[in-house]
Amino acid sequence: MKLYTKENLIKEFHKIARMGWIENTRKGNDGGIGNTLEDLLGIEENNLPIPNAAEWELKAQRLNTSSLTTLFHIEPSPRAVKFVPQILLPSYGWQHQEASKKHPENEMSFRQTIHGNASSDRGFMVKIDRKNHKILISFDHTKVSDIHKKWLKNVEKRIGLSELNPQPYWGFDDLANKAGTKLLNCFYAQAEVKKENGIEFYKYSKVMMLQKFNFNAFLQELESGNILVDFDARTGHNHGTKFRLRQNCFPNLYEKATEII
């Protein structure tokens, strides 16, 4: 594995930008933009080997996309309860769209992407309790859309319509440690994408150096709806709970953002 100084790494990014359109090196891989960049830099995963410096990560995303970038996975507390598969799924889940096709007839689903700016159409929302240093998941049955009336009646039969009790949460300290470890410093690359004869090509046309992750900024982005909590569980498997970020919002999470390209 190569070792880079920040200065050498910046030179490499400029070199890659000058290469123009580059063929995806990981065919059939959804993370092709990041993986191809890793291959060009000769590194493994997204950890950048920069000695004598705080930890750095490489994050890559396509330009002009509405897709979300996954920041990290972390299950809510109390973790011993296995809150998502043991409580949210059986009490608030609904029939999986592939039930009796790809999955058994009784397969349930709990897929929700929520934030702190408004309730989802099923009444779930993120709430930040700064007094008790917690990020909580809240349920308000009055915010459930009419299209989910039947589901709401089932929820009422199963568990009632009051607030979640107990409420799943993440403590500030746990989350700040997780986010700070994963995102302390970051090179954020964005690429244009085109397809020719079924092959994807990338042009790395924007790179920023982001330094000193700011947890208060993280909380603000969660409240404003730019960071979202993504649940993805079904009866047969919990795909994990993710914190995800909207396009072009990465620089908002850092104290210093420097444009490289």
Side-chain angles (χ1 to χ4, degrees):
M1 181 179 285
K2 294 179 184 177
L3 288 178
Y4 288 101
T5 64
K6 277 180 281 184
E7 293 71 25
N8 284 342
L9 188 59
I10 289 166
K11 284 178 186 173
E12 286 296 315
F13 281 124
H14 279 284
K15 227 186 265 183
I16 290 166
R18 287 195 297 271
M19 289 167 69
W21 292 102
I22 299 163
E23 185 177 335
N24 178 7
T25 60
R26 311 278 190 96
K27 294 173 182 61
N29 189 332
D30 289 338
I33 291 176
N35 295 143
T36 299
L37 191 52
E38 289 163 4
D39 291 344
L40 290 166
L41 292 169
I43 66 170
E44 294 174 11
E45 296 183 349
N46 62 0
N47 294 303
L48 291 167
I50 301 174
N52 304 318
E55 287 298 313
W56 286 82
E57 282 222 351
L58 178 65
K59 291 287 184 184
Q61 188 182 42
R62 63 184 60 211
L63 275 166
N64 307 316
T65 179
S66 59
S67 64
L68 304 172
T69 298
T70 298
L71 297 175
F72 49 80
H73 292 66
I74 184 169
E75 293 302 309
S77 294
R79 287 193 198 114
V81 174
K82 295 185 178 175
F83 217 104
V84 179
Q86 299 294 336
I87 295 176
L88 290 180
L89 181 65
S91 299
Y92 296 91
W94 48 91
Q95 187 179 43
H96 195 285
Q97 62 183 7
E98 295 288 338
S100 75
K101 298 172 190 172
K102 188 178 174 184
H103 301 302
E105 191 177 343
N106 62 349
E107 191 83 359
M108 299 286 283
S109 173
F110 187 84
R111 293 189 75 179
Q112 284 282 282
T113 301
I114 62 175
H115 53 71
N117 196 25
S119 295
S120 71
D121 62 357
R122 292 187 191 263
F124 293 96
M125 185 177 182
V126 175
K127 290 196 173 174
I128 296 176
D129 180 352
R130 284 182 168 81
K131 184 181 175 185
N132 294 302
H133 290 202
K134 286 182 178 181
I135 293 168
L136 300 148
I137 302 302
S138 176
F139 174 68
D140 182 349
H141 75 276
T142 67
K143 301 286 172 58
V144 176
S145 166
D146 285 346
I147 63 171
H148 297 307
K149 274 183 180 176
K150 188 178 175 184
W151 166 78
L152 189 61
K153 282 183 181 175
N154 285 331
V155 169
E156 187 173 16
K157 284 178 193 170
R158 279 181 268 172
I159 192 118
L161 298 180
S162 55
E163 175 62 281
L164 299 172
N165 184 23
Q167 282 180 270
Y169 72 92
W170 294 268
F172 279 14
D173 288 347
D174 272 358
L175 206 52
N177 181 59
K178 179 77 172 184
T181 302
K182 290 290 291 178
L183 303 167
L184 185 58
N185 298 292
C186 173
F187 277 93
Y188 176 43
Q190 290 175 286
E192 299 167 58
V193 181
K194 71 174 182 180
K195 242 181 188 176
E196 290 180 359
N197 301 319
I199 298 169
E200 211 164 50
F201 292 84
Y202 309 125
K203 187 196 280 185
Y204 296 92
S205 50
K206 192 172 180 183
V207 180
M208 298 190 82
M209 181 170 66
L210 308 174
Q211 294 169 278
K212 294 186 180 177
F213 174 79
N214 184 322
F215 186 66
N216 284 328
F218 177 92
L219 294 178
Q220 287 163 15
E221 294 299 294
L222 192 56
E223 278 180 319
S224 69
N226 287 329
I227 290 177
L228 305 96
V229 177
D230 187 28
F231 296 102
D232 185 4
R234 60 177 175 82
T235 303
H237 185 63
N238 178 18
H239 293 276
T241 306
K242 300 179 275 287
F243 279 76
R244 307 185 77 193
L245 182 69
R246 293 194 195 277
Q247 169 81 346
N248 294 326
C249 294
F250 248 115
N252 302 351
L253 302 179
Y254 292 84
E255 290 178 21
K256 186 179 180 184
T258 308
E259 196 171 279
I260 304 301
I261 297 169

